[in-house]
């Protein structure tokens, strides 16, 4: 059962911006203070890669090298949500973007450490 739902994807021109959002699909899904929430992406023919993450307790943020200084992850604790603001988008940012929960924030770039995932949402940069 999918516990996280992504929204905000679409098609954008190079240099443009998009903001993705991730919310729990049910009220029973809890984001605990020990958790880290993250965004991953998977481009066609490539492995899924870490994009950005934020710790729920103290709002510490982490970014993949290819998106640093262009993307910003936000924790919206009051809404149990996490967003990803993407600026200056490039064709190589194209892919399916996934939201996921890491129970304790360890090895946050390792997708095997995440216990819940969204279904993913498509982001396409280009005409």
């Amino acid at each position: 059962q999918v516990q996280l739902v992504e929204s905000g994807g679409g098609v954008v021109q190079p240099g443009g911006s998009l903001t993705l959002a991730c919310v729990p699909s049910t009220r029973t899904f809890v984001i605990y203070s020990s958790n880290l929430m993250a965004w991953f992406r998977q481009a066609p023919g490539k492995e899924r890669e870490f994009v950005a993450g934020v710790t729920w307790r103290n709002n510490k943020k982490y970014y993949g090298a290819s998106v640093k200084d262009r993307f910003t992850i936000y924790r919206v604790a009051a809404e149990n949500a996490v967003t990803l603001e993407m600026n200056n988008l490039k064709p190589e940012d194209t892919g399916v973007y996934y939201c996921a929960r890491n129970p304790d924030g360890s090895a946050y770039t390792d997708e095997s450490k995440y216990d819940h995932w969204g279904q993913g949402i498509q982001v396409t940069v280009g005409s």
Side-chain angles (χ1 to χ4, degrees), residues 50-80:
F50 173 81
V51 174
V54 59
T55 61
W56 218 245
R57 177 179 288 116
N58 57 13
N59 202 29
K60 187 171 176 60
K61 301 178 182 182
Y62 304 94
Y63 295 96
S66 63
V67 307
K68 191 172 173 59
D69 298 327
R70 299 188 297 122
F71 290 12
T72 305
I73 189 169
Y74 293 101
R75 177 196 68 175
V76 188
E79 299 180 8
N80 229 23

Side-chain angles (χ1 to χ4, degrees), residues 18-50:
L18 279 177
T19 296
L20 305 182
C22 170
V23 296
S25 61
T26 66
R27 288 178 176 269
T28 58
F29 185 85
V30 178
I31 301 177
Y32 298 98
S33 60
S34 60
N35 295 162
L36 179 146
M37 297 299 295
W39 290 93
F40 283 74
R41 70 185 180 189
Q42 187 166 22
K46 295 188 177 181
E47 293 185 353
R48 192 153 54 184
E49 66 170 344
F50 173 81

